[in-house]
C-alpha cells in the first residue's frame, strides 16, 4: 500500500507561503496584511466578553450636573430626597426646580413643618386653587410650588441612558426666593421704627388698635361650610376680622376675600381674639383685654415691640391667657406668630375668656368620659383643662359650635379661618354670655 501524499503537499504549501511572505516583507501589501491581523489595542485596554453589549460604565460622565447658586440661602430647608434640575434667574428672584420620587403630600408636609419649626412666617398656605406655599423670614421670602411630576416624558429605550432624568420622579417642585429690602417692609417693621410706629406699636389697619365698629364686606363667605357662614357674617358686621393675608403680597388677590378655608396663623387669631372680646364687652371695661404698649418688656423673643401685633399678643401674655415666661412657662420663649393655630391651642386661648375663672384640673380619662374623644391621650396636658371646661358649656361650647358631633378631637390639626371665627361668635357660659348678633345691638361708649 502506497503512503499518503497529503502531508507532503501540505508541507510544500506552507513552505511556498513563507517564501512569498519573506520575499515581499517590505512591500505595502505585506504591511497592510500585518496590520489587519494585529490585535486591537483598545481591546487590550478594555477587554469585553463576546455576546455582551458595550455600555458606559460611568453614565455620569454624560450628565451636566446642575449646581446650586453660591448665594442660595442656607436657611431655606432642602428636601433630603430631591434632585436639582434647573436654576433660573427671574428678575430680582432666583428659581430652582427639583424632582423627587416621594408623593406631593409628603414633600408639602416637609416644608410646612420645617417653616413652622424654624420660626418662618407663613404668608399663605396651599389651597384647592393654588399649590403655592409662601413663607417669610426677616428679609427673605420663599415660595414653594409643589405639583405632581409630568408623565408625558418619552420612555427611553433599554440601551439608552438618560442621566439627566429621574424615571421614578413623582413630584416636581420649584423654590423661588427673593432677598431685598422691599420684602422686609411688608413683613415686619425694622428695629428703628418711625415716630408713628413708636407711638403706636400696632398700625391702624390692624383691628386690635381701636374699637372698630365699621362693618366688613367679604365676597367669598359662601365658600365656607354652610354651618359656619352665619358666624362669619355676624363677626364681619362687628368689624373684628381681617381679610385674606395673601392680598397684601399678591396683587391678583382681592382685599375683600376672607379665604374661609385657609389656615389661620397664631398671630391673626390672637388679634381676632382680643378685638372680638373687647368689642363684645365694649360697655364693660372690666372684661376687656388691655393692649400692651411699646415700653413693655417683650414676653416672646420673636414678637418685639415693633411687631404689628405686639399690642394684642403681649396683652394676652400679660393677662396670663396664653403660655409665656410671664405665666411661669419657661419653655414658651417663642410665640411663632406665623405658625398655623392648632385646635388645642385655640381651646387653650379661648375657653378662659368664656369661664373667666381658673380652669379645672383634668385628666385624659375625664376627657374621654365627658367628650368620648378616642384621641384624648394626644391632647397637651395644658390644653386638657380647657377642653374639659368647654364641655361644661353644653350646646354653646366652642367644640360643638365649630366641629359638631365628633369622637375625634385631632388636637394637632391646624384650624381654618372659618373655624377660628366660629369660636369667637360667643363669649361666656351657658345662660350668661353674649353673642356677636347681640353685640351688634350695642353702642360702644365713646372715650
Amino acid at each position: 500500500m502506497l503512503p499518503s501524499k497529503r502531508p507532503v503537499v501540505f508541507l510544500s504549501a506552507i513552505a511556498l507561503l513563507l517564501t512569498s511572505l519573506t520575499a515581499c516583507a517590505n512591500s505595502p501589501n505585506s504591511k497592510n496584511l500585518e496590520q489587519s491581523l494585529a490585535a486591537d489595542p483598545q481591546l487590550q485596554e478594555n477587554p469585553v466578553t463576546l455576546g455582551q453589549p458595550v455600555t458606559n460604565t460611568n453614565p455620569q460622565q454624560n450628565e451636566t450636573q446642575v449646581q446650586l447658586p453660591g448665594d442660595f440661602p442656607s436657611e431655606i430647608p432642602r428636601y433630603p430626597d430631591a434632585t436639582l434640575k434647573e436654576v433660573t434667574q427671574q428678575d430680582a428672584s432666583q428659581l430652582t426646580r427639583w424632582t423627587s420620587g416621594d408623593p406631593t403630600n409628603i414633600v408639602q408636609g416637609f416644608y410646612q413643618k420645617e417653616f413652622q419649626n424654624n420660626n418662618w412666617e407663613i404668608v399663605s398656605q396651599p389651597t384647592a386653587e393654588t399649590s403655592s406655599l409662601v413663607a417669610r423670614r426677616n428679609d427673605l421670602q420663599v415660595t414653594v410650588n409643589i405639583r405632581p411630576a409630568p408623565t408625558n416624558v418619552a420612555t427611553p429605550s433599554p440601551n439608552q441612558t438618560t442621566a439627566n432624568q429621574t424615571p421614578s420622579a413623582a413630584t416636581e417642585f420649584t423654590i423661588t426666593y427673593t432677598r431685598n429690602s422691599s420684602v422686609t417692609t411688608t413683613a415686619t417693621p425694622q428695629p428703628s421704627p418711625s415716630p408713628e410706629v413708636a407711638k403706636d406699636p400696632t398700625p391702624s389697619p390692624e383691628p386690635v388698635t381701636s374699637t372698630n365698629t365699621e362693618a366688613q364686606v367679604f365676597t367669598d363667605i359662601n365658600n365656607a361650610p354652610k354651618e359656619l357662614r352665619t358666624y362669619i357674617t355676624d363677626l364681619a358686621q362687628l368689624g373684628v376680622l381681617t381679610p385674606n393675608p395673601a392680598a397684601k403680597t399678591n396683587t391678583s388677590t382681592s382685599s375683600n376675600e376672607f379665604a374661609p378655608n385657609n389656615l389661620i396663623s397664631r398671630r391673626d387669631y390672637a388679634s381676632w381674639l382680643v378685638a372680638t372680646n373687647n368689642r363684645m364687652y365694649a360697655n364693660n371695661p372690666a372684661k376687656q383685654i388691655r393692649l400692651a404698649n411699646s415700653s413693655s418688656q417683650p414676653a416672646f423673643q420673636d414678637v418685639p415691640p415693633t411687631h404689628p401685633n405686639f399690642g394684642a399678643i403681649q396683652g394676652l401674655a400679660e393677662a396670663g391667657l396664653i403660655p409665656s415666661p410671664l405665666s411661669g412657662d419657661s419653655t414658651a420663649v417663642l410665640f411663632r406668630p406665623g405658625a398655623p393655630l392648632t385646635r388645642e391651642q385655640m381651646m387653650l386661648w379661648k375657653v378662659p375668656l368664656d369661664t373667666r375663672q381658673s380652669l379645672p384640673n383634668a385628666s385624659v380619662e375625664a376627657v374621654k368620659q365627658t367628650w368620648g374623644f378616642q384621641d384624648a391621650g394626644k391632647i397637651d396636658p395644658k390644653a386638657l383643662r380647657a377642653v374639659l371646661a368647654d364641655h361644661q358649656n353644653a350646646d354653646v361650647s366652642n367644640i360643638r359650635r365649630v366641629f359638631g358631633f365628633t369622637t375625634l378631637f385631632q388636637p394637632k390639626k391646624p384650624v381654618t379661618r372659618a373655624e377660628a371665627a366660629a369660636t369667637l361668635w360667643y363669649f361666656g357660659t351657658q345662660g350668661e354670655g353674649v353673642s356677636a348678633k347681640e353685640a351688634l345691638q350695642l353702642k360702644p361708649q365713646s372715650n
Side-chain angles (χ1 to χ4, degrees):
M1 184 175 189
L2 294 176
S4 175
K5 294 181 180 182
R6 290 182 180 177
V8 177
V9 175
F10 181 70
L11 292 174
S12 299
I14 293 177
L16 180 60
L17 177 62
L18 291 175
T19 303
S20 301
L21 292 175
T22 304
C24 58
N26 295 325
S27 66
N29 293 333
S30 67
K31 292 182 180 180
N32 293 336
L33 179 61
E34 180 182 358
Q35 291 176 359
S36 65
L37 296 176
D40 188 349
Q42 294 182 357
L43 293 177
Q44 292 178 351
E45 297 177 0
N46 301 289
V48 297
T49 303
L50 292 177
Q52 293 184 357
V54 179
T55 58
N56 188 355
T57 57
N58 187 12
Q60 292 182 353
Q61 292 178 351
N62 297 330
E63 177 182 0
T64 303
Q65 187 173 6
V66 182
Q67 299 290 338
L68 271 178
D71 61 348
F72 188 82
S74 58
E75 56 264 49
I76 297 180
R78 292 176 59 183
Y79 193 72
D81 297 323
T83 302
L84 179 62
K85 292 296 181 182
E86 181 183 359
V87 176
T88 307
Q89 180 71 31
Q90 294 184 343
D91 298 330
S93 63
Q94 195 93 351
L95 181 144
T96 58
R97 184 172 63 85
W98 309 72
T99 60
S100 174
D102 294 336
T104 55
N105 62 322
I106 299 296
V107 179
Q108 180 177 307
F110 168 83
Y111 278 98
Q112 286 179 324
K113 182 178 179 180
E114 287 295 314
F115 284 140
Q116 294 170 17
N117 293 343
N118 291 281
N119 197 30
W120 288 75
E121 178 185 358
I122 306 297
V123 177
S124 65
Q125 294 276 1
T127 63
E129 293 78 18
T130 175
S131 58
S132 297
L133 172 63
V134 184
R136 270 198 302 255
R137 182 174 172 182
N138 299 327
D139 63 342
L140 178 64
Q141 178 162 312
V142 177
T143 301
V144 183
N145 196 312
I146 305 171
R147 60 183 178 274
T151 57
N152 57 346
V153 179
T155 303
S157 61
N159 295 330
Q160 180 182 3
T161 59
T162 55
N164 203 30
Q165 176 184 341
T166 306
S168 60
T171 299
E172 180 178 280
F173 62 97
T174 59
I175 299 177
T176 308
Y177 59 93
T178 306
R179 191 193 291 275
N180 53 43
S181 57
S182 62
V183 175
T184 307
T185 57
T186 58
T188 54
Q190 291 294 319
S192 300
S194 63
E196 291 79 6
V197 175
K199 185 176 180 180
D200 184 0
T202 51
S204 56
E206 297 292 335
V208 298
T209 57
S210 62
T211 306
N212 182 12
T213 59
E214 185 175 349
Q216 299 163 311
V217 178
F218 296 119
T219 59
D220 59 347
I221 293 180
N222 285 338
N223 293 339
K226 62 180 182 179
E227 298 85 0
L228 308 182
R229 294 172 190 170
T230 301
Y231 305 135
I232 301 172
T233 302
D234 290 344
L235 290 167
Q237 290 293 317
L238 284 178
V240 294
L241 303 177
T242 54
N244 180 7
K248 298 179 182 179
T249 56
N250 190 347
T251 56
S252 64
T253 302
S254 171
S255 59
N256 291 330
E257 291 182 359
F258 179 67
N261 300 316
N262 284 10
L263 302 183
I264 187 170
S265 66
R266 291 162 56 90
R267 170 199 61 231
D268 286 348
Y269 187 71
S271 295
W272 290 6
L273 183 63
V274 173
T276 309
N277 177 85
N278 292 353
R279 180 66 177 85
M280 294 282 201
Y281 298 104
N283 295 329
N284 190 348
K287 290 189 175 182
Q288 294 181 359
I289 300 171
R290 301 293 187 265
L291 299 179
N293 55 52
S294 58
S295 63
S296 299
Q297 179 66 31
F300 304 103
Q301 297 176 5
D302 54 352
V303 186
T306 53
H307 193 281
N309 304 94
F310 176 78
I313 297 171
Q314 181 74 14
L316 289 170
E318 292 184 353
L321 294 170
I322 58 177
S324 75
L326 298 179
S327 61
D329 193 339
S330 58
T331 62
V333 295
L334 295 176
F335 181 72
R336 298 186 297 121
L341 182 78
T342 63
R343 289 184 174 188
E344 63 182 6
Q345 292 166 354
M346 181 172 64
M347 291 297 102
L348 184 60
W349 299 3
K350 171 60 167 53
V351 173
L353 288 172
D354 292 325
T355 62
R356 304 283 170 168
Q357 60 185 7
S358 299
L359 296 176
N361 294 328
S363 64
V364 173
E365 289 302 321
V367 172
K368 284 184 178 180
Q369 292 177 4
T370 54
W371 282 108
F373 290 148
Q374 303 175 41
D375 54 356
K378 298 180 181 180
I379 304 175
D380 184 270
K382 295 188 294 291
L384 270 176
R385 303 170 61 193
V387 171
L388 183 61
D390 191 54
H391 183 270
Q392 299 173 359
N393 271 346
D395 290 339
V396 297
S397 67
N398 296 281
I399 293 176
R400 288 193 175 96
R401 182 164 62 253
V402 179
F403 308 117
F405 174 78
T406 177
T407 62
L408 289 174
F409 181 55
Q410 303 181 75
K412 314 299 181 185
K413 185 177 181 178
V415 177
T416 67
R417 290 166 59 87
E419 292 169 342
T423 64
L424 303 176
W425 185 81
Y426 185 87
F427 279 73
T429 58
Q430 192 174 27
E432 186 178 349
V434 57
S435 67
K437 185 175 292 293
E438 295 169 339
L440 287 171
Q441 310 304 321
L442 299 177
K443 293 184 179 181
Q445 296 177 347
S446 58
N447 293 329

